[in-house]
Amino acid sequence: MSLPKFIVGMIFALAIVIAWSYLGGASFSTTLFRVIGCAIVIQLGYFLLVFIMVARNAPTPADKIRDAGRKLGSAEASDGEKFSARRSLR
């Protein structure tokens, strides 16, 4: 979900909480507390969703090349496994 869609959805959800509090006869402070609580829960849910999506992604080829480049000077990589960032024009 993109950020603009998230913000529009969050505004609608908070508007529903405000309408529910108003129709329920809640005081201003109770309504404010409910809106802040709802906003915090929505933000935490969005953060956790994005975090899980990033954590589940497999490494890209660029990540694999970067990791191989870090092993250049280490004893873990054999001579045949060493890669270079420089590319030949041939």
Side-chain angles (χ1 to χ4, degrees), residues 5-90:
K5 287 181 184 179
F6 167 74
I7 291 173
V8 169
M10 184 173 171
I11 290 171
F12 276 116
L14 295 177
I16 291 170
V17 170
I18 291 170
W20 162 61
S21 295
Y22 177 74
L23 294 174
S27 66
F28 177 75
S29 60
T30 302
T31 302
L32 185 63
F33 179 73
R34 288 176 180 171
V35 168
I36 290 172
C38 182
I40 289 171
V41 168
I42 291 171
Q43 287 285 341
L44 284 174
Y46 185 74
F47 174 78
L48 288 174
L49 176 70
V50 170
F51 182 78
I52 290 169
M53 288 172 60
V54 169
R56 282 187 173 179
N57 276 344
T60 62
D63 293 336
K64 292 177 184 177
I65 292 171
R66 185 180 60 238
D67 290 341
R70 290 180 181 162
K71 291 183 180 181
L72 273 175
S74 71
E76 295 177 23
S78 67
D79 289 334
E81 293 179 338
K82 292 186 179 180
F83 297 102
S84 173
R86 295 183 184 164
R87 296 183 182 197
S88 173
L89 296 177
R90 298 180 219 178

